[in-house]
Amino acid sequence: MGQVVLSAKNRQGKGSGEARRIRRAGRIPGVLYGRSGKAISIDLDALEFTNGIKNISESTIVKVEVDGKSYDAFVKDTQRNIVDGNILHVDFYEVESGVAVRARVSIQLKGNAIGVREGGVLEFPLHEIEVECLPKDLPERIEVDISDLKANESIHVRDIPLADTIRVISATDQVVALVKYAKEEAAAAPAEGEVAAAAAAGTAGAAAPAAAEAGAKDAKDAKA
C-alpha cells in the first residue's frame, strides 16, 4: 500500500465557533505538531481523511500537504463525537527524515498453531510493542508466525525477528502469544464406572441398616 497523502489548509480562525463552522463545511479542524515544538493549525476534508485512515495503524507515517508544503507525520490522536462517531478534531506529529522516532507498533499473528490443532487454547496477551528506528524503517505492523507453537509453549518479545535497524523498547520478557490446554470436562467429572460403583455402594450401605432394623424387630416380636 502506498503512503497516504492528505491535503490540508492553514487554519487562521480559532475557538469553538470557528471549529463548528469548519465542520459544517465538511472539514475537520486539526493541529500539526512539529518536532521543534511549533504547531500549525490546519483543517482537512472530512471524507478524504476518514477514507485515508481506514487501513493505517498508529505507526503509519502519512504525508500531510499544507498549502503546497509536505510533512511526514503520525496521526497521534482523533477526537470523535460520542453520539454519531464523526471525527471532531485530529492531531498530527511530524517526523523528520534521518532522525530516529519511537512508536508503538501493532502485532499481527499469522498461522495456525500446532497446539491449537491438538486441542489447546491460544492466548494473545500483547498486541503491540514499542520500538525505535528511523522513519523509513518503521513497520506499520509486525507479523508473528505461530504455526510451530505447541501446547504449553510461548513466544516472547525477544523471539520476534526484527531488522537490525529496529531497536525494541518494550521489555523483552513479555509474552506475545502462548497455547494452553483447555480443562477437560472428562477429567473433572468421575468416570462412568466410578459413578456406578458409588451408586451401588450407596444402595448397599442404605440396605444394611434397613436389614438390621428388620432383624431387631423380629427378635423383639419373638420375645413378646
Side-chain angles (χ1 to χ4, degrees), residues 91-151:
D91 288 336
F92 296 93
Y93 181 75
E94 182 190 8
V95 299
E96 185 178 349
S97 178
V99 178
V101 295
R102 287 190 177 189
R104 304 194 71 84
V105 183
S106 61
I107 298 172
Q108 182 176 342
L109 302 184
K110 70 173 185 177
N112 187 7
I114 293 175
V116 172
R117 297 200 300 270
E118 294 175 345
V121 176
L122 176 68
E123 295 188 5
F124 182 22
L126 189 66
H127 294 267
E128 63 181 15
I129 60 172
E130 187 176 12
V131 301
E132 183 180 69
C133 62
L134 294 176
K136 67 180 182 65
D137 298 320
L138 184 64
E140 288 190 19
R141 57 188 57 83
I142 296 172
E143 287 192 344
V144 176
D145 191 348
I146 60 170
S147 301
D148 296 329
L149 192 61
K150 299 177 182 177

Side-chain angles (χ1 to χ4, degrees), residues 22-34:
I22 291 172
R23 295 185 191 110
R24 285 196 299 268
R27 301 183 68 80
I28 302 171
V31 176
L32 172 64
Y33 293 95

Side-chain angles (χ1 to χ4, degrees), residues 41-62:
S41 296
I42 60 175
D43 63 77
L44 312 94
D45 182 87
L47 183 59
E48 180 189 55
F49 178 78
T50 302
N51 290 335
I53 66 168
K54 279 182 178 178
N55 298 313
I56 70 173
S57 65
E58 186 180 340
S59 60
T60 303
I61 298 176
V62 302

Side-chain angles (χ1 to χ4, degrees), residues 170-188:
S170 299
T172 58
D173 60 349
Q174 293 184 88
V175 175
V176 176
L178 70 157
V179 174
K180 289 183 176 179
Y181 270 126
K183 290 183 179 179
E184 296 182 4
E185 293 182 2

